[in-house]
Amino acid sequence: MNLFSPIHIRNLTLKNRIVLSPMQQYSAKNGVPGNWHLVHLGSRAVGGAGLILTECTAVSEEGLATLSDVGIWNDEQKNAWKNIVNFVHEQDAKIGIQLWHAGGKGSLKHPNERMKPLTPEEGGWTVKSSSAHEFNGVFAEELTIDEIQELKTKFVKAALRAVETGFDTIELHAGHGYLFHQFYSAVINKRQDEYGGSFENRIRFLVETVQEIRKVIPAEMPLFVRISAVDYIESDEAWTLEDSIKLSEILKENGVDFITASGGGFTNVSKDKVFPGYQVPFAKAIKEQTGILTGAVGMITEAEQANDIIVKGDADLVIIAREHLRDPYFAIHSAKALGIETEIPWQYKRAY
Ligand SMILES: Cc1cc2nc3c(=O)[nH]c(=O)nc-3n(C[C@H](O)[C@H](O)[C@H](O)COP(=O)(O)O)c2cc1C
């Protein structure tokens, strides 16, 4: 078993264990992915990654963080994604869509404008969360129970569109301080109803959404969930690794196949907590304690380091973000560094 061993998850077969991590490109208009997304995602497929994950993709307009994020709530968006899905498939890679709702972390300007709050004149909108809260200078209102039910429907519709588009898998983005995380972490969730308070109540929105999605997508399609394994906040209310293990067990019972163990999202993570492979222990603990497949993410940048994670069985996939920005050919270069044979696109064979 090594970084280039195939893996089967339901009917999905990945040719290796290297994943392009979701990375917002802030390059869309009206939620429609364009040429930039085709080249960004397509290059990493050409570069040999077994699985390409799209950046977080909003299930509805008010689920965007900025007006430059992508979505999958209408046919124009779906058709634009189809082109990208087809290209990735032509490279013998698989592609998953990361479905997402920013919740309270929305109505923000582009990163080039330091993600300041959008004014109504600039297209800003009212954001909603588990509880009334201020995020990045934007005030979120508390969602009503009816609105929570509607949100589940939006996720289901987006999941159906993703299936129609031809995506091989769906990942729910339930980390990084976005809507699902705003429910399961008591740091934000102060609700008094069945969606707040106890652990079971705080995870209810995510678990119910998973149940609804599992009912409508093909039984053979894998379902991934990215969580923040910890909040990286010193507080009795903070979400812990033990909570993540309990949550992963419940998600597994409800048909989730794979957990990506990321972290944080409500505050900046202090520098001493971030070092090569810093989140691998989360993937390892969740895998060991629940038996679910896991992905390790966070400062994985070297072939040997990535291979070790797989060889030791600490995680089932390595999910590479920024190193993939520096090197779209991370997978091909890793195979070369490890002395393992891998397919090179025929157009590029003369270089190898
Ligand atoms: C530009 C950029 C955009 C990101 N956008 C997303 C995103 O859309 N969804 C997500 O789950 N994580 C997102 N992340 C987090 C990465 O997927 C990854 O978890 C993080 O960068 C740590 O991995 P790395 O050390 O390999 O970069 C983003 C990171 C970067 C650098």
Side-chain angles (χ1 to χ4, degrees):
M1 165 88 75
N2 63 40
L3 190 57
F4 287 85
S5 307
I7 182 171
H8 309 284
I9 314 174
R10 295 196 193 227
N11 79 338
L12 174 69
T13 299
L14 303 179
K15 63 184 173 188
N16 61 45
R17 307 301 181 105
I18 299 171
V19 181
L20 171 68
S21 199
M23 277 181 280
Q24 274 161 295
Q25 299 296 294
Y26 306 104
S27 301
K29 270 203 186 121
N30 304 320
V32 182
N35 287 341
W36 179 266
H37 301 88
L38 172 66
V39 173
H40 168 66
L41 299 170
S43 304
R44 278 72 196 172
V46 171
L51 178 65
I52 303 296
L53 288 175
T54 72
E55 68 192 81
C56 52
T57 303
V59 298
S60 56
E61 199 168 6
E62 86 292 346
L64 296 167
T66 76
L67 293 169
S68 310
D69 294 313
V70 290
I72 186 157
W73 67 82
N74 65 35
D75 282 346
E76 188 187 359
Q77 294 158 352
K78 185 174 100 176
N79 291 334
W81 281 120
K82 250 188 198 148
N83 190 30
I84 295 170
V85 166
N86 291 342
F87 181 81
V88 170
H89 284 161
E90 283 162 21
Q91 313 316 313
D92 193 28
K94 300 290 161 100
I95 179 163
I97 186 165
Q98 190 185 51
L99 295 184
W100 162 76
H101 194 295
K105 282 177 77 172
S107 193
L108 300 171
K109 291 189 190 181
H110 195 273
N112 292 345
E113 295 174 274
R114 292 193 286 147
M115 300 193 84
K116 294 248 165 68
L118 282 167
T119 63
E121 298 73 43
E122 291 165 331
W125 61 98
T126 303
V127 298
K128 301 200 177 179
S129 180
S130 57
S131 303
H133 190 85
E134 186 199 333
F135 296 87
N136 313 309
V138 179
F139 291 89
E141 294 178 5
E142 179 168 312
L143 286 157
T144 65
I145 294 272
D146 282 349
E147 287 170 332
I148 294 173
Q149 308 311 322
E150 277 168 35
L151 278 164
K152 284 190 279 176
T153 308
K154 288 175 179 173
F155 270 95
V156 167
K157 284 192 176 154
L160 282 172
R161 277 184 194 282
V163 173
E164 288 161 16
T165 307
F167 282 104
D168 302 294
T169 184
I170 290 171
E171 174 170 89
L172 294 184
H173 193 353
H176 299 179
Y178 295 118
L179 187 58
F180 288 120
H181 191 185
Q182 291 159 24
F183 271 85
Y184 67 69
S185 175
V187 170
I188 305 294
N189 189 339
K190 308 291 177 200
R191 297 179 77 90
Q192 306 286 324
D193 58 14
E194 66 265 38
Y195 288 95
S198 67
F199 172 85
E200 283 68 26
N201 283 355
R202 282 181 281 116
I203 65 167
R204 190 180 306 280
F205 173 49
L206 173 58
V207 173
E208 287 180 350
T209 307
V210 160
Q211 289 168 340
E212 297 294 316
I213 289 179
R214 196 72 261 182
K215 270 191 230 156
V216 300
I217 63 171
E220 56 289 356
M221 180 185 255
L223 185 57
F224 288 29
V225 177
R226 176 178 278 225
I227 60 171
S228 279
V230 299
D231 280 340
Y232 292 118
I233 292 173
E234 300 296 329
S235 153
D236 290 345
E237 292 174 322
W239 182 256
T240 64
L241 179 58
E242 288 65 42
D243 292 327
S244 289
I245 291 167
K246 258 166 72 182
L247 171 65
S248 300
E249 185 69 55
I250 294 166
L251 293 176
K252 187 181 168 205
E253 284 161 12
N254 284 284
V256 170
D257 302 285
F258 185 93
I259 298 287
T260 301
S262 191
F266 296 127
T267 54
N268 290 332
V269 182
S270 67
K271 284 207 175 112
D272 59 309
K273 298 222 159 55
V274 182
F275 45 84
Y278 65 110
Q279 295 182 132
V280 175
F282 303 150
K284 182 172 191 251
I286 293 170
K287 182 176 159 68
E288 276 174 2
Q289 307 275 322
T290 68
I292 200 165
L293 299 172
T294 62
V297 68
M299 284 191 74
I300 303 168
T301 57
E302 308 272 348
E304 286 285 353
Q305 180 199 12
N307 192 46
D308 273 359
I309 293 167
I310 302 299
V311 170
K312 285 195 201 142
D314 289 349
D316 300 282
L317 297 177
V318 287
I319 303 173
I320 314 283
R322 286 165 295 176
E323 189 57 26
H324 258 136
L325 298 185
R326 291 183 279 265
D327 179 8
Y329 300 94
F330 177 79
I332 290 176
H333 291 160
S334 293
K336 208 161 188 284
L338 296 166
I340 298 172
E341 288 246 327
T342 193
E343 265 311 301
I344 309 289
W346 64 265
Q347 294 91 336
Y348 288 1
K349 277 204 171 130
R350 286 179 64 181
Y352 286 89

